Amino acid sequence: MNEIRHQAEWRRWAWLGAAGALLFVLFQVLPATSDSSFRDQTEPVIAKREAERQASDFASRHFGTAPLSAHAVHQSDRLMYGYLMKEKLYEPFRHDYEARFPTDTYQATLRLPDKKTLFVHVHMTSGEIVGWRLFNDSLAEETAALEESKTLDMARAFAETRGFRAEELREGYVNRAGEAVLEPQGYRIGEARLRLVIGIGTSDEGQPVVTKYKAVFEVPERYQAYVAGQDRLASRLTLFGNLLISGVMAIVAAVIAVLYRKRISFGRGVVLTLLFLACYLVNQFNMADGMRASFGEDPRAELLYTGGMALTVVLTVLLGFAVYFSLVAGDGLWRAQGCGLWPKFGEAGFGAHVWQSMKMSYLFALILLGAQTVILFALERSTGAWSTSDPAQSPYNLRIVWLYPLLAWAAAISEEAVYRLFGIGLLRKWLRSTFAAALVPTVIWALGHVAYPIYPATTRLIELTVIGLAMSWLFLRYGFIAAVFTHAIMNSILMAVSLVFLGSAANLATAAVYLALPVAVAWVLKRLHDKKSGRHPQFTVPPEAPR
């Protein structure tokens, strides 16, 4: 493990960091801010409470009953949004259709007094009601058994109250659920056509009432089939390529820790493991609305959420054990090879090493962001890669926005411990090849990210394999602490940019805190160490990792 001591080396990394920052800003940040949808978004996004109020008022007006409770989450039509991104059609869609048929809404879940559940979709800027769906009990959707012609006539009459003209509503049919499906003429974007799904039910007074209104663009079947196939591929790669192998690695780490217990310090990984668990669990509860949104319009969503959160807690604890044994066994493996890639708190020079690692990591993070920009640009041009929305990760579904960077630190600690500190250390011992030892865990790590909403599913595999190899080089040359800081800073920059796009002074202030947090962490560690040592020691450079 080396330290940067020469001014020339600092200058080299600074120039590369500046180049990376320039690429990142020019090709990722500015294109988003120069988009007219960003420039022209003069209407601020309404608060969730306002969406809940609008939905409750609608329930009282339309169904004549006040809800017992209302809870809103950010919801998104991932298929349609992805199609618009792939075909470069978002700008014309925004101009022509976003006001009436948005891809992103607040989905408010309302519990009604008569054990009914009502889902209401509220426009995120105008507050207009753009869709709803009523369920009679925990499972059954409420629709009336009417004659097909009567159902279509009532649906057309209602559609006219939503701004459609009678001559636009000639095409239509009744589906198996007894709902009217209308295909308004002239509403197209690319090959996607608008569909109106209108359900007719009966009020408590015996009068017909619209229990469902859904106005969305239906993407081409071949696009739906392609995305479904890619999602299946991503799920398999994640399950068999990442989760199962990572589980095996965790077991191996525990076995190594037991077998070499006399040469391993079991206290080494406790603090970082507890920090990881705290950050990850707090983040999971902070993003609870994202999990709720993933269940869509399901009356059992709250029950499913409770079960999902319980499972998440169990899996997080298991992951905590994996992180702990990876830290313990990984440190032991490297020290057995004469390489101190993770200095201890009490070792001479620890505070100075942490402080310098933090400063280096800002430069390395910018370099990697620039490299990521180039990789994604190349993949977009060569494979047509595109991304879509993911309400499960949406900042709008955060309970407390300023807790969001905890995810960056949780990911940095766990992934660098499992795939770099332990993974490379173990495989180098087995394979006798540093490159192979870096490549294998890097691919496993990259496979854990293929389920992100980017298509084709192999896009992130390619991107993160390259980034992961660079991170492996960084780890081998500058140590575990520099790798963790770089990983956390890179993620924090991306999170800060997403908050800047959301606007508001509070979000801008939170973004600034994200970016400054690594400095604060390094400063506290340095101060604690220097206070304990009573002096500011010079670097004690551990043996360098073998090539």
Side-chain angles (χ1 to χ4, degrees):
M1 181 178 66
N2 294 328
E3 305 285 357
I4 297 181
R5 297 197 177 187
H6 304 293
Q7 196 67 27
E9 192 174 2
W10 274 111
R11 283 197 298 269
R12 179 170 70 247
W13 294 129
W15 279 111
L16 288 173
L22 183 62
L23 288 170
F24 176 67
V25 171
L26 288 178
F27 292 97
Q28 291 201 57
V29 178
L30 288 183
T33 58
S34 63
D35 188 281
S36 61
S37 63
F38 183 89
R39 295 195 312 267
D40 298 341
Q41 190 175 334
T42 55
E43 292 184 275
V45 172
I46 64 174
K48 283 185 178 180
R49 288 186 179 179
E50 175 62 17
E52 292 164 357
R53 187 187 69 79
Q54 295 283 6
S56 298
D57 290 347
F58 167 78
S60 299
R61 293 194 311 270
H62 191 74
F63 294 100
T65 181
L68 299 174
S69 64
H71 185 79
V73 300
H74 172 216
Q75 190 58 275
S76 183
D77 184 346
R78 298 177 72 248
L79 266 179
M80 184 58 188
Y81 188 88
Y83 175 75
L84 294 173
M85 293 296 104
K86 180 179 185 296
E87 302 298 332
K88 307 296 190 294
L89 292 171
Y90 180 75
E91 178 56 26
F93 176 85
R94 186 201 66 82
H95 183 269
D96 295 335
Y97 297 121
E98 180 69 23
R100 294 178 64 187
F101 318 112
T103 58
D104 289 75
T105 63
Y106 280 126
Q107 175 188 294
T109 303
L110 282 67
R111 305 297 179 187
L112 305 184
D114 47 3
K115 296 184 179 180
K116 294 180 180 180
T117 302
L118 175 65
F119 293 95
V120 180
H121 289 267
V122 183
H123 199 289
M124 294 182 69
T125 56
S126 69
E128 296 291 328
I129 307 301
V130 295
W132 61 89
R133 187 178 184 182
L134 178 68
F135 286 86
N136 190 34
D137 51 39
S138 61
L139 292 175
E141 185 175 357
E142 183 166 295
T143 54
L146 304 175
E147 295 180 1
E148 182 172 334
S149 59
K150 187 176 182 180
T151 298
L152 287 173
D153 287 343
M154 293 180 65
R156 289 189 176 104
F158 173 75
E160 290 184 36
T161 68
R162 302 293 300 184
F164 295 94
R165 299 190 302 272
E167 58 270 21
E168 298 174 339
L169 302 170
R170 295 170 185 170
E171 297 182 14
Y173 61 92
V174 175
N175 62 21
R176 293 181 179 179
E179 303 163 337
V181 181
L182 305 179
E183 301 176 349
Q185 297 178 6
Y187 291 80
R188 296 177 67 100
I189 184 78
E191 296 183 52
R193 294 186 60 182
L194 183 67
R195 297 285 190 276
L196 306 181
V197 182
I198 302 173
I200 308 296
T202 305
S203 68
D204 294 337
E205 292 76 24
Q207 299 298 317
V209 62
V210 176
T211 57
K212 178 178 180 178
Y213 175 66
K214 183 178 182 181
V216 296
F217 282 84
E218 187 173 299
V219 300
E221 289 186 2
R222 67 175 182 276
Y223 178 79
Q224 296 184 47
Y226 177 81
V227 169
Q230 289 292 302
D231 288 343
R232 286 193 297 271
L233 173 62
S235 297
R236 291 167 184 165
L237 290 174
T238 300
L239 176 61
F240 298 105
N242 176 264
L243 295 179
L244 290 181
I245 298 178
S246 296
V248 171
M249 290 175 62
I251 294 172
V252 173
V255 171
I256 289 177
V258 172
L259 292 178
Y260 295 91
R261 57 188 178 276
K262 294 182 178 179
R263 289 182 282 173
I264 286 177
S265 172
F266 284 90
R268 286 240 59 196
V270 173
V271 174
L272 278 182
T273 300
L274 292 177
L275 182 61
F276 157 75
L277 285 172
C279 291
Y280 200 83
L281 286 173
V282 168
N283 180 74
Q284 290 303 309
F285 284 100
N286 194 39
M287 299 191 70
D289 281 351
M291 183 182 291
R292 290 187 175 96
S294 67
F295 297 121
E297 295 177 345
D298 192 323
R300 304 165 300 175
E302 197 61 29
L303 178 63
L304 294 172
Y305 158 74
T306 302
M309 188 57 72
L311 179 61
T312 297
V313 171
V314 172
L315 292 177
T316 301
V317 173
L318 293 176
L319 182 56
F321 281 108
V323 170
Y324 170 71
F325 284 112
S326 294
L327 289 167
V328 169
D331 182 57
L333 284 169
W334 285 109
R335 289 184 181 272
Q337 300 176 60
C339 307
L341 291 176
W342 181 19
K344 295 181 180 180
F345 180 80
E347 290 179 345
F350 175 84
H353 171 72
V354 169
W355 186 251
Q356 188 183 60
S357 294
M358 175 274 297
K359 293 189 291 183
M360 289 190 299
S361 294
Y362 275 97
L363 298 179
F364 293 143
L366 293 174
I367 293 169
L368 290 177
L369 285 172
Q372 180 191 57
T373 301
V374 173
I375 295 167
L376 292 176
F377 182 83
L379 289 173
E380 182 181 355
R381 294 299 182 273
S382 60
T383 68
W386 75 96
S387 63
T388 188
S389 54
D390 183 7
Q393 300 294 325
S394 169
Y396 291 113
N397 279 329
L398 294 172
R399 289 182 178 178
I400 304 174
V401 174
W402 57 266
L403 290 176
Y404 195 27
L406 294 181
L407 180 60
W409 289 91
I413 293 170
S414 61
E415 293 173 10
E416 295 306 317
V418 174
Y419 301 106
R420 244 72 76 180
L421 183 67
F422 174 70
I424 297 177
L426 175 69
L427 292 178
R428 188 186 177 281
K429 181 179 178 64
W430 286 357
L431 302 178
R432 303 296 179 181
S433 168
T434 304
F435 176 75
L439 179 62
V440 173
T442 290
V443 171
I444 297 170
W445 171 67
L447 286 170
H449 296 76
V450 296
Y452 281 51
I454 298 179
Y455 299 94
T458 53
T459 300
R460 294 229 74 186
L461 173 61
I462 298 170
E463 170 213 344
L464 289 180
T465 296
V466 177
I467 297 296
L469 287 174
M471 287 293 299
S472 298
W473 174 87
L474 171 67
F475 161 73
L476 291 169
R477 183 172 178 83
Y478 295 108
F480 177 66
I481 294 175
V484 170
F485 269 116
T486 300
H487 197 145
I489 292 170
M490 186 176 177
N491 287 347
S492 296
I493 291 173
L494 294 172
M495 292 176 178
V497 169
S498 69
L499 284 185
V500 170
F501 287 164
L502 294 181
S504 87
N507 287 332
L508 292 175
T510 303
V513 172
Y514 288 9
L515 298 179
L517 185 58
V519 178
V521 170
W523 183 84
V524 169
L525 288 174
K526 185 177 185 300
R527 289 282 295 178
L528 289 175
H529 182 268
D530 291 349
K531 183 177 180 180
K532 180 180 179 180
S533 65
R535 57 192 178 88
H536 299 276
Q538 298 297 314
F539 289 118
T540 299
V541 183
E544 184 178 348
R547 297 294 190 266

